[in-house]
Structures are given as structure tokens and as C-alpha cells.
Amino acid sequence: MSLLDMDERLLDLASLIDLVYSPIMDVKEFPEGVDITLVEGAVANEDNARMLRLVRERTDVLVAFGDCAVAGNVTALRNPIANPLPVLQRSYGPDPSRMPGLHTPDAEVPPLVTKVENLRALVRVDYYLPGCPPSADLIFFVLSELVAGRTLNLQSRATLG
Amino acid sequence: MSVTTLTINGRLVSAAEGASILDVAREHDIHIPTLCHLDGLSEHGACRLCLVEVAGSSKLQAACMTKAVEGMVVTTDSERLRTYRRQIVELLLAERNHVCSVCVANRACELQDLAVSMGLHHVRYEPQAPQLAMDASHPRWIIDHNRCVLCTRCVRVCDEIEGAHTWDVMGRGRQTLVISDMNEPWGDSASCTSCGKCVRVCPTGALFEKGAVATNKDPHFVTYLRMAREQKLWNR
Amino acid sequence: MIVDDIAAVRDREHAARAAQKARIAVCSAAGCLSTGGSAVKDALTAAVAEQGAGTDVRVLGTGCLGLCHAGPLVRVDAQDAAPAMFEHVTPALAVAIVSGVVGGALPAEQRCDLTQPFFTRQHRIVTSDAGVVDAERIEDYLAANGYAALEKVLTEMRPEEVVREISASGLRGRGGAGYPTGLKWSTVAKAQGPGKFVVCNADEGDPGAFMDRSVLEGDPHRVLEGMAIAAFAVGAEQGYIYVRGEYPLAITRLKTAIRQAERMQLLGHRILDTQFNFRIDIRIGAGAFVCGEETALISSIEGKRGTPRPRPPFPAEAGLWGRPTLINNVETYANIAPIILAGGSRFATLGTEHSKGTKVFALAGRIVNTGLVEVPMGIPLREIIYDIGGGIPDGRTFKAAQTGGPSGGCIPAAHLDLPVDYEALAGIGSIMGSGGLIVMDETSCMVDVARYFMEFCRDESCGKCIPCRAGTVQMHEILLKMTRGTADERDLGLLEQLAELVTRTSLCGLGQTAANPVMSTLHHFREEYMAHIRDKVCPAGVCPMHAEDRP
Ligand SMILES: Cc1cc2nc3c(=O)[nH]c(=O)nc-3n(C[C@H](O)[C@H](O)[C@H](O)COP(=O)(O)O)c2cc1C
Ligand code: SF4
Ligand code: SF4
Ligand code: FES
């Protein structure tokens, strides 16, 4: 949503980039040879981990986008409860029949990982863009810099939270 | 009063006798980051953010606790010091559950401000995610140990300014915890006068008012109180 | 009592001894007591009584006889024969020993060879009274010329002369940092004002170290005498001994010794009938490692939380309750009386250029003779380990020696010929420390050793300053990952950066030295780290090398 807050500046960017993959696009497979990928969210289940590794493999510049990707943030709040079962029980109650597919994961519902991790814990991250959410100005700045092929230096522009 | 002359970052500056390097630097608009220091309270020397280089000494010195001495040559900013300071803030962020986005002190937090000023955008250390309890037994305030950086400002303001000594520190290492009275619920404390000073000096969201966002933080009232008491002046 | 009375006590003791046929010394340090030493002592005493040898044979409980792994140890000094020592003594053997003493022929079994290098290569100054003095009798200590140094100081010397003598000896603090003792004394002596204090640091917190304990248990008067001389030299009237609560025997013996010395006017008011007053009280610590750090120790004695504060001001300027305070280690004080009696320059002939005298080490780990040894400074490490220590057992090979405990480092085989002195050890990334010496063979993993010491520092950090409190947690986290085969090279980089941070920015010595075991093993055994990180194998076969669920 913060992306959209960039308003008309989106149009400037649109002329410079070629959007090849996004949750709101109907593309099944993450393409190869991507220049820049903004990855949002932390790694909370096994599918997230698989996807992240794939993205890393196929991307030149990987940006951890937002506090969850950068630091785990709210997603990682469950870590002190550790092992997924108590986490699920905390949300759905003690009765396993009330969490079909969650308690016994299948292809549709990937198993939760024991510990939610930020992106850095699994792959090399090129840039960190903190914020919950990151401000539109900041996103615009980052994208403009990266599209122009410059090395990103956020200095004191960004803040966690 | 005699005057001391010393060099800070290549600038010749003068200081009142007995002043700390931090005092002198601030007087001359030279910024040194701090966390445990608070004007009006005794020095604690524990956060290590104010460490500076002093020529002729191989050890870094805490600016808040080191007296300015005639002829001293001080460097408050260098690549090495910046790296250390950033690492220290990074360590704090990994130590407890500093989830800024869901913290009452978001955007009103000295820890967050330090991270911003140091250009710290992510933490490389393993988040410890300890499971620490909150104490909401006091009618007006809450202590959330998950946000505490153990600066002991609350302990010192309560002891030195309010004279109640409700707060103290228990345990050691990563088990260190701020406690009220003999580790009893804050709400049951017989010594707490409910003055709220601790809440106002707390640099983070560890001490906060129920139902409010942490806008009532105003640690600088301590200087005013001290001065007013010493000079018997009570109009702000 | 005055000097003449003390001399009379000495004479009586000497006369009694001359009349005795033999003295049987049982090691009564905690090590031998734990293997049945007190039953042996009881058996000896009973056998002596039973065989009616009460006036001829004296049984005494003494300080550590050294060869701890062979305890309980019993030493026999007969009037007309060379000394003999027995190992692994049982109450039955004790009876046989007494019969032997009475009958003139000692049992042949379980004899300890007193001509082996373990005994002959040692140089005993601090531990010279072990085997000779009964730790619970002041008369024994007096007979061994005890309190003669105090007498000399009080009757013949001025305080400045005492300080000068200690400076001339070149003695350096045995508590770890090796600060010149004479310099420290002169700072305190020069400090203005009344109400100075003398403190003995008997907190001994290094894991596996027991040098100070054995001195306190075996020769408590030696420490009291050293403190009294120090008090005279710096102008103090009150002393404290800060002992850890885990040393109940040392505490009991110290209490006894203080009572005895007070009764003989060797402590308290008008000592030896001079103008000099000096009282010693005991303060018991709760076993926090950090309370051995001098500013934390002061805070603890004052009844506050035992956390360090930045120095300066040093305790010598502003210590206990803000007064100038002299703090020295147990072994440092135990060296004082011998220095005064022999003269500083005589003491200084022993050792190397900047490290004088002897050092007591507690040998532990993969070494044949585990126990307590006292060696001259400058002795090559090889000699301690192979000659005195008897080498590595089970046909294995030496890998490293760890000195200085959690603040020290590992010395690899390439440096075995290093002379043991402060500068040489520091030069290769270790420290002399307080005297723990742990020997490791190829079955030890250096990454795991570093992890072990980091765990210790993490748990013992007082929690005051951020770099130490949180930095040790993260360093341990990374080392743990290495031992589980889940660390990568980024982690190694982080570890090295953290080691620098914690060393440079921590408030006190605990944090400032906490990374030493990591840095020294990284320096000398880097390939072992790389094996864990790159190849995911532990060459020593110690580490699990697989991820385990967090506890
Ligand atoms: C963490 C830490 C623990 C220490 N523990 C001891 C100890 O157990 N015994 C001791 O004598 N010195 C210990 N020291 C050293 C003391 O701070 C102090 O330097 C010493 O007692 C001075 O005596 P010395 O000059 O005779 O060595 C420790 C230092 C640190 C930093
Ligand atoms: S509660 Fe706040 S003021 Fe008190 S020690 Fe923690 S962070 Fe500091
Ligand atoms: S270095 Fe460690 S032990 Fe020393 S003050 Fe800091 S936290 Fe406490
Ligand atoms: S401000 Fe000086 S150490 Fe914290």
C-alpha cells in the first residue's frame, strides 16, 4: 500500500522499470535474470524459505523491504512461543480439529518453521529498507537510486518501526 | 572558579574545573551520543556510547565520567568510534524484543533515535527474543521488560531525586532485571510514591502510561528540579 | 605480647621438636580432604595415642602438598632419616605408617618418589610452609620464623623503607594483571588522610583455580602477616579479607588464625607493643566471578551490589568508602614476609627481567601430575608440563596449554619453550592470570574450548555495561553455531568484530578480557575454526556438528 502512496511518482518509475513478478500479477513462476527484487515479509513457513532462496538465485539486487523482512518484526513476535504447535493452539485453541491443514500441513498449507527469521538469516541481502511500512518517499528514493544504478546509501533517512 | 583548556576534535575549548568531557563538549555544541547519562542524575558509565579517544591513553574513556583535564586532547568522532557505537546499539536491539512498530514509544524513543542517527537499518545479531513478563499492577503505569535497556535511569531518579528507591537491579548478565522493592509487583510497592518520575526518564517504551502513547516522556525535568532545589527557585 | 614473649614461644616449639622422634604431616587442603584426608588424620592421631607415642610423634594437618591427584598425601619427617611421602593413604596404611615410625622401618608400599622432578624442580617460597606448619596452630607458624618479618618491620624499619624493599623485589600482583606491588603500595602510602584500608582479594573465581585457596587453608598466618606489613607500610588500621563463600575451610582457618594472632597481640591494638594498630575482618562473597574485580569487590564489601565502576579513580586513591585502599591478591601477600626477611634485592635474583620470584600454578586437564606447583618465573612451559607435570597421559600428544582462565588464552605446541613470565605470555595472546594451567591434548576442540569460556563470561558478566552483557551473548551464540556446523564465514567476521568491540569498550576487566580465549584460539588454531565453518567437521571429534533444538 505504501508503494501506491508514491502517487504520480509511480508513473515516472513505471517508464523506467519492467515489472516481472508480483503477488498481484498472474505470474506463476519467479522469472530468471531479475535486476531488482523487493522482498517483503519474514520467513514464517517452509514455502517462504524455498521462495526466498529461489528469488536470491535469480536476482541481482535483493532488497529487504519493510521491518518484517529486515528484522522479523511482528511476524517474529511468536518466536518466544517457539515450536509451531503451541503457536497454533494460541491462535486456534487447543482442539486440533479446528486447525485443519495447519496441524498436519500439506501442499496447500506449508508447515510453519520453528523460528521466524528475517531474510538475512537465510540469504545474502543487498539492501535493507526498514519501516513499518517504509514511507513512500523512502521507497521512491530507493527505487530511483537503484534504477539509476547507484549504490544505495540510506544513512539516517530510514528508521525501524 | 578556575578554567581548564583542552582540545576537542581539533578545537581549543575551555571548561569549568571539574566538568566532564561530555559537559564541555555539549557546551560547545559537539555532539556525543549517550544513553545512560541523564542531566541531573549521577553518572552510571554503562552504555559505553559516549566513549571517546583521549590522546596518550590506549583505553577509550567514557565522556560522561571522565573529567576534562588541562591540555587533554580528545576525539569524539572517528570511524572506529562510529563502528563501536553502531555495534552497541545493534546489540541492544537484538537483546530484547524491540519491535518498534508495535511499541508505545515508536517515534518517541531514544534507542530508535540512536539507531536512526547511526544509519542502523538492520541488525546482524541473533535476536534473543527472551520471554519477559510485563508488570501492569500499578494503577497508572506499566513496566515492560522487553523494551528495557537497563540504563538504570529509573533506579537513579527514584533514589536520587524522589528519594523512594523503589527500583533496583537484580540478577546478572542477560538475566539482569529492573525490579520494584524486593521483586514484588509494582502495584503492591510500599515505597513507590506514584510520582511518575521513572516513567518520564525512561528512554524507551519500557515504562509507560496506561492507555497513552509515550508522549509524556520529558527526561529534562530532572535538571530543572535539581536546579530549583539548589537555588530555591520554583518558577519554571 | 612483646617481642621477647614471641621469642619464648619459638624456643619452646623448637625444644619440643628436638625432643620429637618424628612429625607426620597430613595434607589438609580441600583436595586431600575430599578423598578421605580427615579419616587418615584421625587414624594417625588414634594410632599414635594407641601406641603410646604421644610425646615422640606429632601429627599435623598442613597446607597442600602438591600432588593432588595422588591424595590423600602423608609426609613423614623423622629425626634421623630423609623425609618420606605416601600417596593414596588409607586409614589402614596410616596405622602402618605410625607403627613404622615407632619401630624405625616405614612401610615400603605407596611411597611417593621425592626425588622426581615434580618435587625437585619446584621452588617453594609461597608454599614453603606446606608439610611443615600446622595450619591451625600459630605456634607452628612462629617456629617456622613466622611473624619475624612483621617484627623486623615494626622494630627496625620505617614505612618508606618497607615500600622501597617491596619495590626493589620487583614483585608484581599475582591476581592476574601483574601490576607492580611496590608502586601500588607507594601510591596508597602517599595518599593523604586517615582511614585507609588494606584489602586481600581472596575471591579466586577462575574455574579450576585453587592456588589462593590452598594458601589460605594451609598457611593463613602468612597472609595475615603480609597484610599487617602492608598496613604498616601504607598507614592503614583496618583490613578486610574478601573470601568466596565456597571456601568454608579457608574461612574457618582464617577465623582461627585471626583469633590466635589477636590473642598474641600480633594483630589488633598496639601490635608487639608498638604504636601500630591493625584489625582484620573477613567479608564473605557470594561467588560471583566479577566480585574479584577490585571495584566490584569494594562495592560488595560496602554492602552494595557487586558491580564494577570505571577507573580512574583507582582504589589506591578512592576505594572503600572513598578512602585510599590497597588491594592485593592472596599470593601477593604471601610473598611479603619472605621478601622482608630475605631482602628485596635477593628476591629479585629469582626470575626474569620483569617477572621476579615464583608463581604457583594449578595443573589440570590432560597431564599426569595434576596438582599444585610453585615454579620460578621464567621456567619454560615445556619443563612445567613434561618434567614437573609428568607429560601427557595415555600416549597422547600435547595440543595446547590454557593459562589465565576465562581471561587468558591457549598456547600451542610451537610455543612450548616459552619462558613463563608476564610479558612472554602476553606476547602470544595469553596472560599469566592467577595461575590456572589447563593442559589439552588432541581430544580437545579449540572452538569448543573457546565456546566454554565464552559461556562462562556470558553467565558471569555483571550485566552493567552493554558490550559485555550483550556482546558475550552474541559471541557465544556464534561459537555455538560453529560447534553445530551451522555457521558460515559471515559469522566468523561478526565474531571477530564483536571480539574487538567487547575488548575495547567494556567497562571492566571481565569484558575487556572476555574475548581473549576466542582471539588466541583464532590466532593459533584458525584452521580448526575453518574446518567447522567450511567443511562442517570437528577435527577433534568433540562438537556435535548438527543443529539441535534450542533448550
Ligand atoms: C573479572 C575479574 C576477576 C578478578 N578476580 C580476581 C580474583 O579472583 N582474585 C584476585 O586476586 N584478583 C582478581 N582480579 C584482579 C583484581 O581486580 C585486582 O587486580 C587484584 O586483586 C590486585 O591484586 P594484585 O595486584 O596483588 O594482583 C580480577 C579481575 C577481574 C577483571
Ligand atoms: S525501565 Fe527504562 S529507565 Fe529503567 S532501566 Fe529500563 S530502559 Fe532504563
Ligand atoms: S565488562 Fe562485564 S562484568 Fe565488567 S562492568 Fe561490564 S558487564 Fe559488568
Ligand atoms: S552516557 Fe556515558 S556511558 Fe552511557
Side-chain angles (χ1 to χ4, degrees), chain C residues 187-236:
Chain C
T187 311
V188 181
K190 281 185 199 130
Q192 294 301 313
K196 295 179 191 175
F197 294 101
V198 163
V199 174
C200 173
N201 187 342
D203 196 51
E204 196 163 55
D206 285 13
F210 59 99
M211 301 72 56
D212 293 348
R213 188 190 71 196
S214 67
V215 172
L216 295 171
E217 287 172 355
D219 211 3
H221 285 289
R222 182 72 88 74
V223 179
L224 303 183
E225 185 178 7
M227 288 179 71
I229 295 171
F232 174 76
V234 303

Short mmCIF file of all heavy atoms in Angstrom, two decimals, chain C residues 187-236:
data_model
loop_
_atom_site.label_atom_id
_atom_site.label_comp_id
_atom_site.label_asym_id
_atom_site.label_seq_id
_atom_site.Cartn_x
_atom_site.Cartn_y
_atom_site.Cartn_z
N THR C 187 51.70 4.39 46.08
CA THR C 187 50.58 5.28 45.78
C THR C 187 49.66 5.40 46.99
O THR C 187 49.25 6.50 47.36
CB THR C 187 49.76 4.74 44.58
OG1 THR C 187 50.66 4.41 43.54
CG2 THR C 187 48.75 5.75 44.11
N VAL C 188 49.35 4.27 47.60
CA VAL C 188 48.46 4.30 48.76
C VAL C 188 49.15 5.00 49.93
O VAL C 188 48.54 5.78 50.65
CB VAL C 188 48.01 2.88 49.17
CG1 VAL C 188 47.05 2.94 50.35
CG2 VAL C 188 47.35 2.17 47.99
N ALA C 189 50.44 4.74 50.08
CA ALA C 189 51.18 5.36 51.18
C ALA C 189 51.18 6.87 51.04
O ALA C 189 51.06 7.60 52.02
CB ALA C 189 52.61 4.83 51.23
N LYS C 190 51.29 7.34 49.79
CA LYS C 190 51.35 8.79 49.57
C LYS C 190 49.99 9.45 49.67
O LYS C 190 49.90 10.66 49.90
CB LYS C 190 51.93 9.08 48.18
CG LYS C 190 53.44 8.96 48.15
CD LYS C 190 53.98 9.37 46.79
CE LYS C 190 55.38 8.85 46.56
NZ LYS C 190 55.49 8.16 45.27
N ALA C 191 48.93 8.67 49.46
CA ALA C 191 47.59 9.26 49.52
C ALA C 191 47.36 9.86 50.90
O ALA C 191 47.81 9.32 51.91
CB ALA C 191 46.53 8.19 49.22
N GLN C 192 46.66 11.01 50.91
CA GLN C 192 46.50 11.74 52.17
C GLN C 192 45.34 11.22 52.99
O GLN C 192 44.41 10.63 52.47
CB GLN C 192 46.26 13.23 51.86
CG GLN C 192 47.45 13.92 51.22
CD GLN C 192 48.70 13.86 52.09
OE1 GLN C 192 48.64 14.14 53.28
NE2 GLN C 192 49.83 13.46 51.50
N GLY C 193 45.43 11.47 54.27
CA GLY C 193 44.27 11.29 55.11
C GLY C 193 44.22 9.99 55.89
O GLY C 193 44.88 9.02 55.54
N PRO C 194 43.42 10.00 56.95
CA PRO C 194 43.29 8.82 57.79
C PRO C 194 42.28 7.85 57.17
O PRO C 194 41.69 8.14 56.13
CB PRO C 194 42.73 9.40 59.09
CG PRO C 194 41.91 10.59 58.64
CD PRO C 194 42.55 11.10 57.38
N GLY C 195 42.11 6.71 57.83
CA GLY C 195 41.08 5.78 57.44
C GLY C 195 41.37 5.02 56.16
O GLY C 195 40.48 4.67 55.41
N LYS C 196 42.65 4.77 55.89
CA LYS C 196 42.97 3.95 54.72
C LYS C 196 42.63 2.49 55.01
O LYS C 196 42.54 2.08 56.17
CB LYS C 196 44.45 4.06 54.39
CG LYS C 196 44.88 5.45 53.96
CD LYS C 196 46.38 5.46 53.67
CE LYS C 196 46.88 6.88 53.51
NZ LYS C 196 48.34 6.92 53.34
N PHE C 197 42.49 1.71 53.96
CA PHE C 197 42.18 0.30 54.12
C PHE C 197 43.17 -0.59 53.37
O PHE C 197 43.72 -0.18 52.36
CB PHE C 197 40.78 -0.01 53.60
CG PHE C 197 39.69 0.65 54.38
CD1 PHE C 197 39.08 1.80 53.92
CD2 PHE C 197 39.28 0.11 55.60
CE1 PHE C 197 38.07 2.41 54.63
CE2 PHE C 197 38.28 0.72 56.33
CZ PHE C 197 37.67 1.87 55.85
N VAL C 198 43.34 -1.80 53.90
CA VAL C 198 44.11 -2.83 53.21
C VAL C 198 43.16 -4.00 52.97
O VAL C 198 42.50 -4.46 53.90
CB VAL C 198 45.32 -3.27 54.05
CG1 VAL C 198 45.86 -4.59 53.55
CG2 VAL C 198 46.41 -2.20 54.01
N VAL C 199 43.06 -4.42 51.72
CA VAL C 199 42.12 -5.48 51.39
C VAL C 199 42.86 -6.64 50.74
O VAL C 199 43.76 -6.44 49.92
CB VAL C 199 41.02 -4.95 50.42
CG1 VAL C 199 40.13 -6.09 49.95
CG2 VAL C 199 40.19 -3.87 51.10
N CYS C 200 42.48 -7.84 51.13
CA CYS C 200 43.03 -9.03 50.48
C CYS C 200 41.96 -9.63 49.59
O CYS C 200 40.87 -9.97 50.04
CB CYS C 200 43.47 -10.04 51.54
SG CYS C 200 43.98 -11.60 50.82
N ASN C 201 42.30 -9.77 48.32
CA ASN C 201 41.37 -10.33 47.35
C ASN C 201 41.51 -11.85 47.35
O ASN C 201 42.47 -12.40 46.81
CB ASN C 201 41.68 -9.74 45.97
CG ASN C 201 40.66 -10.14 44.92
OD1 ASN C 201 39.91 -11.09 45.11
ND2 ASN C 201 40.63 -9.40 43.83
N ALA C 202 40.57 -12.52 48.00
CA ALA C 202 40.59 -13.98 48.06
C ALA C 202 39.32 -14.51 47.42
O ALA C 202 38.70 -15.44 47.91
CB ALA C 202 40.71 -14.45 49.51
N ASP C 203 38.96 -13.89 46.30
CA ASP C 203 37.70 -14.28 45.66
C ASP C 203 37.92 -15.43 44.67
O ASP C 203 36.97 -16.14 44.32
CB ASP C 203 37.08 -13.08 44.94
CG ASP C 203 35.62 -13.33 44.61
OD1 ASP C 203 34.89 -13.73 45.53
OD2 ASP C 203 35.21 -13.15 43.45
N GLU C 204 39.13 -15.59 44.22
CA GLU C 204 39.53 -16.67 43.31
C GLU C 204 38.39 -17.31 42.51
O GLU C 204 37.89 -18.38 42.86
CB GLU C 204 40.25 -17.77 44.10
CG GLU C 204 41.02 -18.71 43.17
CD GLU C 204 42.04 -19.52 43.95
OE1 GLU C 204 41.68 -20.20 44.92
OE2 GLU C 204 43.22 -19.45 43.57
N GLY C 205 38.02 -16.65 41.43
CA GLY C 205 36.86 -17.12 40.68
C GLY C 205 37.16 -17.89 39.42
O GLY C 205 36.24 -18.46 38.82
N ASP C 206 38.41 -17.94 38.96
CA ASP C 206 38.71 -18.67 37.72
C ASP C 206 38.30 -20.12 37.88
O ASP C 206 38.65 -20.75 38.87
CB ASP C 206 40.21 -18.64 37.42
CG ASP C 206 40.66 -17.29 36.89
OD1 ASP C 206 39.87 -16.34 36.99
OD2 ASP C 206 41.79 -17.19 36.41
N PRO C 207 37.58 -20.67 36.90
CA PRO C 207 37.21 -22.08 37.03
C PRO C 207 38.46 -22.96 37.10
O PRO C 207 39.37 -22.81 36.30
CB PRO C 207 36.39 -22.35 35.76
CG PRO C 207 36.63 -21.21 34.84
CD PRO C 207 37.09 -20.06 35.65
N GLY C 208 38.50 -23.83 38.07
CA GLY C 208 39.61 -24.78 38.18
C GLY C 208 40.82 -24.26 38.93
O GLY C 208 41.77 -24.99 39.15
N ALA C 209 40.80 -23.00 39.34
CA ALA C 209 41.96 -22.46 40.05
C ALA C 209 41.81 -22.67 41.55
O ALA C 209 40.73 -22.53 42.09
CB ALA C 209 42.09 -20.97 39.75
N PHE C 210 42.89 -23.06 42.21
CA PHE C 210 42.78 -23.23 43.66
C PHE C 210 44.09 -22.89 44.38
O PHE C 210 44.37 -23.38 45.46
CB PHE C 210 42.31 -24.65 44.02
CG PHE C 210 43.20 -25.76 43.52
CD1 PHE C 210 44.14 -26.35 44.36
CD2 PHE C 210 43.11 -26.21 42.21
CE1 PHE C 210 44.96 -27.36 43.91
CE2 PHE C 210 43.93 -27.22 41.75
CZ PHE C 210 44.86 -27.80 42.60
N MET C 211 44.89 -22.02 43.75
CA MET C 211 46.15 -21.61 44.35
C MET C 211 45.91 -20.84 45.64
O MET C 211 46.49 -21.13 46.68
CB MET C 211 46.94 -20.70 43.41
CG MET C 211 47.31 -21.26 42.07
SD MET C 211 45.91 -21.43 40.92
CE MET C 211 45.22 -19.81 40.85
N ASP C 212 45.03 -19.84 45.55
CA ASP C 212 44.78 -18.99 46.72
C ASP C 212 44.12 -19.78 47.83
O ASP C 212 44.44 -19.62 49.00
CB ASP C 212 43.90 -17.80 46.32
CG ASP C 212 44.61 -16.85 45.37
OD1 ASP C 212 45.84 -17.01 45.21
OD2 ASP C 212 43.95 -15.98 44.79
N ARG C 213 43.21 -20.65 47.44
CA ARG C 213 42.53 -21.46 48.45
C ARG C 213 43.54 -22.26 49.25
O ARG C 213 43.48 -22.32 50.48
CB ARG C 213 41.53 -22.42 47.78
CG ARG C 213 40.67 -23.13 48.79
CD ARG C 213 39.86 -24.23 48.14
NE ARG C 213 40.72 -25.34 47.74
CZ ARG C 213 40.37 -26.29 46.89
NH1 ARG C 213 39.18 -26.25 46.32
NH2 ARG C 213 41.19 -27.26 46.60
N SER C 214 44.51 -22.86 48.55
CA SER C 214 45.44 -23.72 49.28
C SER C 214 46.36 -22.91 50.19
O SER C 214 46.73 -23.38 51.26
CB SER C 214 46.25 -24.60 48.32
OG SER C 214 47.08 -23.77 47.58
N VAL C 215 46.67 -21.69 49.78
CA VAL C 215 47.47 -20.84 50.68
C VAL C 215 46.65 -20.47 51.92
O VAL C 215 47.12 -20.57 53.05
CB VAL C 215 47.94 -19.56 49.95
CG1 VAL C 215 48.60 -18.60 50.93
CG2 VAL C 215 48.90 -19.92 48.83
N LEU C 216 45.40 -20.10 51.70
CA LEU C 216 44.55 -19.71 52.84
C LEU C 216 44.31 -20.88 53.78
O LEU C 216 44.31 -20.73 55.00
CB LEU C 216 43.19 -19.21 52.34
CG LEU C 216 43.19 -17.94 51.50
CD1 LEU C 216 41.82 -17.70 50.90
CD2 LEU C 216 43.61 -16.74 52.34
N GLU C 217 44.13 -22.07 53.19
CA GLU C 217 43.84 -23.24 54.02
C GLU C 217 45.09 -23.75 54.72
O GLU C 217 45.03 -24.26 55.83
CB GLU C 217 43.27 -24.38 53.15
CG GLU C 217 41.85 -24.12 52.71
CD GLU C 217 41.37 -25.15 51.69
OE1 GLU C 217 42.18 -26.01 51.26
OE2 GLU C 217 40.19 -25.09 51.32
N GLY C 218 46.24 -23.60 54.04
CA GLY C 218 47.44 -24.23 54.57
C GLY C 218 48.30 -23.29 55.41
O GLY C 218 49.03 -23.75 56.29
N ASP C 219 48.21 -21.99 55.13
CA ASP C 219 49.13 -21.08 55.79
C ASP C 219 48.48 -19.71 56.00
O ASP C 219 49.00 -18.69 55.55
CB ASP C 219 50.38 -20.93 54.89
CG ASP C 219 51.63 -20.68 55.73
OD1 ASP C 219 51.53 -20.68 56.97
OD2 ASP C 219 52.71 -20.48 55.12
N PRO C 220 47.36 -19.70 56.71
CA PRO C 220 46.61 -18.43 56.81
C PRO C 220 47.42 -17.31 57.45
O PRO C 220 47.27 -16.15 57.08
CB PRO C 220 45.40 -18.79 57.68
CG PRO C 220 45.76 -20.05 58.39
CD PRO C 220 46.71 -20.78 57.47
N HIS C 221 48.30 -17.67 58.40
CA HIS C 221 49.07 -16.62 59.08
C HIS C 221 49.98 -15.87 58.13
O HIS C 221 50.28 -14.70 58.31
CB HIS C 221 49.89 -17.21 60.22
CG HIS C 221 49.04 -17.56 61.41
ND1 HIS C 221 48.49 -16.61 62.22
CD2 HIS C 221 48.63 -18.75 61.90
CE1 HIS C 221 47.78 -17.19 63.18
NE2 HIS C 221 47.84 -18.50 63.01
N ARG C 222 50.45 -16.56 57.09
CA ARG C 222 51.34 -15.92 56.13
C ARG C 222 50.64 -14.74 55.46
O ARG C 222 51.22 -13.68 55.24
CB ARG C 222 51.76 -16.96 55.08
CG ARG C 222 52.72 -16.45 54.05
CD ARG C 222 54.11 -16.22 54.60
NE ARG C 222 54.92 -17.42 54.53
CZ ARG C 222 55.45 -17.90 53.41
NH1 ARG C 222 55.24 -17.30 52.27
NH2 ARG C 222 56.16 -18.99 53.44
N VAL C 223 49.35 -14.94 55.16
CA VAL C 223 48.57 -13.88 54.52
C VAL C 223 48.32 -12.74 55.51
O VAL C 223 48.47 -11.57 55.18
CB VAL C 223 47.24 -14.46 53.99
CG1 VAL C 223 46.40 -13.36 53.34
CG2 VAL C 223 47.52 -15.58 52.99
N LEU C 224 47.98 -13.11 56.76
CA LEU C 224 47.74 -12.07 57.77
C LEU C 224 49.01 -11.25 57.99
O LEU C 224 48.96 -10.01 58.08
CB LEU C 224 47.32 -12.71 59.11
CG LEU C 224 46.07 -13.61 59.08
CD1 LEU C 224 45.75 -14.09 60.49
CD2 LEU C 224 44.88 -12.88 58.48
N GLU C 225 50.14 -11.92 58.03
CA GLU C 225 51.40 -11.21 58.26
C GLU C 225 51.68 -10.25 57.10
O GLU C 225 52.05 -9.09 57.31
CB GLU C 225 52.56 -12.20 58.43
CG GLU C 225 53.87 -11.48 58.79
CD GLU C 225 55.05 -12.43 59.03
OE1 GLU C 225 54.91 -13.63 58.79
OE2 GLU C 225 56.12 -11.93 59.45
N GLY C 226 51.47 -10.74 55.87
CA GLY C 226 51.68 -9.89 54.69
C GLY C 226 50.79 -8.66 54.74
O GLY C 226 51.22 -7.53 54.43
N MET C 227 49.54 -8.87 55.13
CA MET C 227 48.60 -7.74 55.20
C MET C 227 49.02 -6.74 56.28
O MET C 227 48.91 -5.52 56.09
CB MET C 227 47.19 -8.24 55.50
CG MET C 227 46.54 -8.95 54.32
SD MET C 227 44.88 -9.54 54.75
CE MET C 227 43.96 -8.00 54.84
N ALA C 228 49.48 -7.26 57.42
CA ALA C 228 49.88 -6.37 58.51
C ALA C 228 51.08 -5.53 58.09
O ALA C 228 51.15 -4.33 58.38
CB ALA C 228 50.19 -7.18 59.76
N ILE C 229 52.02 -6.15 57.39
CA ILE C 229 53.19 -5.41 56.91
C ILE C 229 52.75 -4.33 55.93
O ILE C 229 53.19 -3.17 55.98
CB ILE C 229 54.23 -6.37 56.27
CG1 ILE C 229 54.79 -7.31 57.34
CG2 ILE C 229 55.34 -5.59 55.56
CD1 ILE C 229 55.64 -8.44 56.80
N ALA C 230 51.81 -4.71 55.05
CA ALA C 230 51.29 -3.74 54.08
C ALA C 230 50.62 -2.58 54.79
O ALA C 230 50.81 -1.41 54.44
CB ALA C 230 50.31 -4.42 53.13
N ALA C 231 49.83 -2.90 55.82
CA ALA C 231 49.11 -1.87 56.55
C ALA C 231 50.09 -0.89 57.19
O ALA C 231 49.89 0.32 57.17
CB ALA C 231 48.21 -2.50 57.61
N PHE C 232 51.15 -1.44 57.75
CA PHE C 232 52.18 -0.58 58.36
C PHE C 232 52.80 0.32 57.28
O PHE C 232 52.99 1.51 57.48
CB PHE C 232 53.25 -1.45 59.02
CG PHE C 232 54.42 -0.67 59.54
CD1 PHE C 232 54.31 0.06 60.72
CD2 PHE C 232 55.63 -0.67 58.86
CE1 PHE C 232 55.39 0.79 61.19
CE2 PHE C 232 56.71 0.05 59.34
CZ PHE C 232 56.60 0.79 60.51
N ALA C 233 53.08 -0.27 56.11
CA ALA C 233 53.76 0.47 55.06
C ALA C 233 52.89 1.59 54.49
O ALA C 233 53.39 2.66 54.15
CB ALA C 233 54.19 -0.47 53.94
N VAL C 234 51.58 1.34 54.35
CA VAL C 234 50.74 2.36 53.71
C VAL C 234 50.00 3.22 54.73
O VAL C 234 49.38 4.23 54.37
CB VAL C 234 49.70 1.73 52.73
CG1 VAL C 234 50.40 0.91 51.66
CG2 VAL C 234 48.66 0.91 53.47
N GLY C 235 50.03 2.83 55.98
CA GLY C 235 49.36 3.63 57.01
C GLY C 235 47.89 3.32 57.16
O GLY C 235 47.07 4.24 57.21
N ALA C 236 47.56 2.03 57.22
CA ALA C 236 46.16 1.64 57.39
C ALA C 236 45.98 0.97 58.75
O ALA C 236 46.92 0.41 59.29
CB ALA C 236 45.73 0.69 56.29
#
